[in-house]
Amino acid sequence: MSKQPVVQLDHITKVIGNKTIIDQLSFELFPGEVVGFLGPNGAGKTTTIRMIVGLMAPTAGEILIQGIDVQQDFEKAISHVGAIVENPELYKYMSGYKNLLHYARMVDGVTEERIDEVIELVGLQNRIEQKVSTYSLGMRQRLGLAQALLHRPSLLILDEPTNGLDPAGIREFRDYLRMVADKEDVCVLVSSHLLSEIELMCDRTLIIQSGKLIGEKQIQKEEVTAEAKKQIVQFQVNPVEKAISILQLQKIVLLYSNQTSFEIEIERDNVPKLVKNLVAEDVSIFAVETRVKSLEDEFLEITGGKSVD
Amino acid sequence: MIKFIRLIQNENMKMFSQVSNWVMLGFYFVIIFFNVAMAPVDETDQFVADPFSYFLSSADTPMVVITTLSIIWAAGIMAAEFSSGTVKLLLIRPVTRTKILWAKYTLVVLYALVLSILYYVLTLMFGFLLYTDASLSSEGVMILAKAAGLSFLESLFMITLAYMIAVISYNRSLALGVSMFLYLTNTVIAFFLQTKPWSKFLFFTQLNLTKYASHDGAVSALNTLAFALCVLGVYFILFVVATWVTFSNRDVAS
């Protein structure tokens, strides 16, 4: 990529007490991408985010935002960042508008028009004059997003943004996120442990465990998957034994089988041929399903489903 | 500088959006009116030669209230951000921690200052309303001004102490408890420690400054106002530095 990265983490290490929370973590984020930041609880996601936004200082290594070191020139570096760190904790005793005004005063150049624009973007026009204590969690989440977008950041960091939201709220939030990512053209870093959600939202994922980057994956869009050569295909057939003997003749590797079905790894182009063979041998086929590996499978594969240490 | 003023404006907005602030201000006015109601109105009272100056000099109860309210704010204004988690969104703005720290402190000091000035204005106003033929001697003005200034310095010192404990411990109750305890018992502690020569270097034995208002400076040969101010000044600088160093370097992990 020839684009200048928005964020660069260079061998970041964080030691608290005598425990290494983050160990030599390095990655780069580029403009216009939505990146998922995955890891089991306690892997160091929040610590990493706190270091990027300057709430914590790294023990070693440096973090550059638009080429500016967060530790050296905090004011300048952080002016490119909008963030929600964990839950959007706002001043409950003030109205939504006063909350936004509060944050707008802390940055140069946020006009009243901009505040109104952001309120409209997150769809809070009708409730903005009411106190935040009367807001639902979903509305607080939206107000949190609004405060993060006020100063047109080039990097938006959302730490566990859907924590505590119901399914409808999660979906709504996801739609809003995609919309603002497109409309405001920002780089978004979303941390979460909800995998399916990350899968739906992001272009790329970073997986960390015990403070180390252990996986990085471009999320494949459906059309790409369809062209991928080897696939796992599940067949529901009767009788299974007969079908398996046919497979063995064709030297197809069997992955799994039970009373009613079997799974094989097979090239896409060979599926019709196999089906024809099975039908010719009088095997009844009830269903043929392609199993796409979900991010969850991959996540567990990569992290080994290990517990926190 | 403009940014600093905007930060104070923010803190002010937050302060006056809280119901507790209005309750406390209500309490402040109740105390002032109570003090007026208790003023000796009978001008022929044989125990009080000059009821007007008596009214002015006895009116230091409200100053205790002002200091108490200021301590409550000093203890809470930063600790509340930590306990509610709002500090995370507050500190990720293009503003240095130093500015945020001192904007909050400045607002509490301004709060104490405004309440003090308002108090003296109201007291004088009610004084002239109650005693229509009274006149203020220049000596009376001096004592009053001195008392006002010294009690404000007491408030300032207590604010700084409470703020330091709150910022270092993130604990509102601890800051409030320790500061209020020292503020209310400092004369008792000073009395018990008076035989120990080193005790005069402890800040809480020097905290009672208003006693110097009516004297000509010296209470005893060693305990002069200048000495007290020096001791308190050294502690003041110590507190400010401790607060500042802790806050600007600490990881925020709440």
Side-chain angles (χ1 to χ4, degrees):
Chain A
M1 263 187 255
S2 59
K3 278 194 220 169
Q4 188 67 23
V6 182
V7 189
Q8 286 167 280
L9 266 74
D10 187 18
H11 295 91
I12 289 299
T13 301
K14 178 72 184 175
V15 181
I16 297 176
N18 51 12
K19 203 165 177 300
T20 306
I21 310 287
I22 303 292
D23 191 8
Q24 303 269 330
L25 184 65
S26 302
F27 62 78
E28 292 182 342
L29 307 178
F30 294 92
E33 59 174 357
V34 180
V35 180
F37 194 38
L38 284 177
N41 285 334
K45 298 187 296 283
T46 299
T47 306
T48 307
I49 286 174
R50 280 168 192 265
M51 285 193 284
I52 299 175
V53 297
L55 286 175
M56 284 180 159
T59 313
E62 62 178 10
I63 298 170
L64 303 179
I65 297 170
Q66 300 285 25
I68 306 156
D69 192 320
V70 177
Q71 292 300 309
Q72 302 294 328
D73 193 350
F74 173 75
E75 280 175 274
K76 214 168 162 195
I78 206 74
S79 62
H80 297 289
V81 183
I84 303 177
V85 183
E86 289 168 309
N87 305 315
E89 276 126 354
L90 299 139
Y91 301 101
K92 293 194 181 87
Y93 48 82
M94 293 201 294
S95 69
Y97 191 84
K98 276 189 175 175
N99 267 283
L100 291 181
L101 184 65
H102 173 264
Y103 295 117
R105 281 192 191 136
M106 300 182 80
V107 204
D108 291 318
V110 177
T111 57
E112 274 177 43
E113 290 77 47
R114 177 61 186 167
I115 299 180
D116 293 337
E117 192 185 316
V118 171
I119 293 168
E120 208 165 308
L121 188 72
V122 298
L124 277 177
Q125 306 90 307
N126 300 328
R127 296 290 299 274
I128 201 69
E129 292 299 340
Q130 286 167 25
K131 283 191 179 180
V132 174
S133 53
T134 66
Y135 284 17
S136 69
L137 193 55
M139 290 165 66
R140 282 179 204 189
Q141 212 57 267
R142 288 195 206 181
L143 190 61
L145 197 57
Q147 64 77 28
L149 290 169
L150 269 180
H151 51 293
R152 301 177 196 276
S154 47
L155 172 67
L156 185 61
I157 297 176
L158 306 169
D159 188 10
E160 309 274 354
T162 51
N163 254 1
L165 286 184
D166 59 17
I170 291 177
R171 195 196 169 123
E172 198 177 80
F173 188 79
R174 198 164 64 217
D175 293 344
Y176 273 111
L177 191 63
R178 264 261 92 102
M179 185 190 69
V180 298
D182 293 343
K183 257 194 175 171
E184 307 262 330
D185 192 34
V186 291
C187 168
V188 189
L189 181 67
V190 189
S191 103
S192 183
H193 53 260
L194 295 175
L195 299 143
S196 52
E197 182 190 308
I198 290 277
E199 197 166 23
L200 288 165
M201 276 195 271
C202 303
D203 307 318
R204 186 159 71 101
T205 52
L206 302 167
I207 302 175
I208 71 163
Q209 189 182 31
S210 310
K212 288 189 189 108
L213 193 66
I214 53 168
E216 192 174 346
K217 181 173 181 285
Q218 212 72 35
I219 298 214
Q220 311 207 315
K221 298 293 168 220
E222 275 168 52
E223 56 274 17
V224 182
T225 325
E227 282 158 24
K229 284 202 161 170
K230 289 247 179 181
Q231 293 179 315
I232 295 170
V233 183
Q234 187 191 49
F235 284 77
Q236 282 179 32
V237 293
N238 189 38
V240 177
E241 296 77 20
K242 199 170 173 188
I244 289 172
S245 63
I246 297 164
L247 292 176
Q248 279 161 351
L249 285 176
Q250 298 197 357
K251 302 215 162 56
I252 293 169
V253 185
L254 183 72
L255 294 176
Y256 168 85
S257 71
N258 63 15
Q259 245 78 85
T260 57
S261 69
F262 65 86
E263 275 178 29
I264 50 167
E265 197 169 39
I266 187 171
E267 278 163 42
R268 183 180 156 82
D269 296 343
N270 290 340
V271 176
K273 207 173 104 192
L274 178 64
V275 172
K276 247 182 235 168
N277 283 341
L278 289 173
V279 173
E281 294 293 330
D282 206 20
V283 177
S284 318
I285 302 175
F286 299 95
V288 180
E289 260 180 311
T290 318
R291 273 205 34 208
V292 180
K293 252 200 220 173
S294 72
L295 189 58
E296 188 166 322
D297 298 328
E298 215 143 319
F299 175 77
L300 289 174
E301 214 168 86
I302 294 172
T303 61
K306 266 189 286 177
S307 62
V308 182
D309 49 27
Chain B
M1 195 61 206
I2 295 166
K3 221 170 202 180
F4 191 70
I5 291 167
R6 285 200 302 224
L7 290 180
I8 295 176
Q9 216 183 336
N10 267 347
E11 294 306 325
N12 188 58
M13 178 172 76
K14 285 186 264 183
M15 183 186 263
F16 281 89
S17 298
Q18 291 178 57
V19 180
S20 58
N21 184 49
W22 296 103
V23 174
M24 292 194 317
L25 284 181
F27 191 63
Y28 163 81
F29 284 109
V30 166
I31 291 287
I32 289 182
F33 294 132
F34 180 76
N35 200 50
V36 172
M38 295 302 283
V41 272
D42 186 3
E43 304 226 4
T44 58
D45 193 328
Q46 53 184 329
F47 297 108
V48 185
D50 178 359
F52 182 52
S53 16
Y54 176 80
F55 167 68
L56 292 184
S57 65
S58 70
D60 54 358
T61 323
M63 284 312 294
V64 177
V65 175
I66 292 170
T67 308
T68 306
L69 297 186
S70 308
I71 291 175
I72 292 173
W73 272 114
I77 198 162
M78 187 64 89
E81 300 268 4
F82 279 91
S83 57
S84 68
T86 46
V87 69
K88 286 177 291 191
L89 290 185
L90 186 72
L91 293 184
I92 55 167
R93 311 285 144 181
V95 179
T96 53
R97 288 193 189 185
T98 307
K99 277 191 198 139
I100 290 172
L101 179 72
W102 298 122
K104 283 181 180 291
Y105 176 80
T106 307
L107 181 74
V108 179
V109 173
L110 284 176
Y111 180 83
L113 189 64
V114 169
L115 289 193
S116 302
I117 291 172
L118 187 65
Y119 163 64
Y120 281 103
V121 169
L122 284 176
T123 304
L124 277 176
M125 206 183 77
F126 282 119
F128 283 117
L129 283 177
L130 281 172
Y131 313 102
T132 39
D133 55 343
S135 66
L136 207 55
S137 65
S138 61
E139 196 199 354
V141 173
M142 274 304 291
I143 290 178
L144 192 65
K146 221 172 163 187
L150 290 174
S151 66
F152 178 70
L153 284 183
E154 278 179 20
S155 301
L156 181 69
F157 189 84
M158 290 315 300
I159 289 168
T160 314
L161 174 70
Y163 195 57
M164 175 188 72
I165 301 174
V167 168
I168 291 176
S169 69
Y170 298 161
N171 190 329
R172 178 186 216 150
S173 321
L174 183 72
L176 193 58
V178 171
S179 312
M180 281 310 293
F181 176 77
L182 287 177
Y183 179 60
L184 296 175
T185 61
N186 69 74
T187 43
V188 180
I189 299 173
F191 175 77
F192 281 119
L193 290 176
Q194 64 183 345
T195 54
K196 308 272 184 257
W198 46 262
S199 71
K200 61 179 187 290
F201 295 106
L202 299 172
F203 69 86
F204 41 85
T205 60
Q206 301 292 356
L207 209 51
N208 184 5
L209 290 174
T210 35
K211 69 181 178 211
Y212 296 107
S214 44
H215 297 277
D216 243 1
V219 171
S220 72
L222 270 172
N223 259 354
T224 61
L225 176 60
F227 179 76
L229 288 179
C230 280
V231 171
L232 292 183
V234 169
Y235 279 99
F236 179 86
I237 292 167
L238 214 68
F239 292 170
V240 165
V241 171
T243 310
W244 184 55
V245 169
T246 316
F247 189 69
S248 37
N249 295 317
R250 190 185 278 179
D251 282 349
V252 175
S254 71

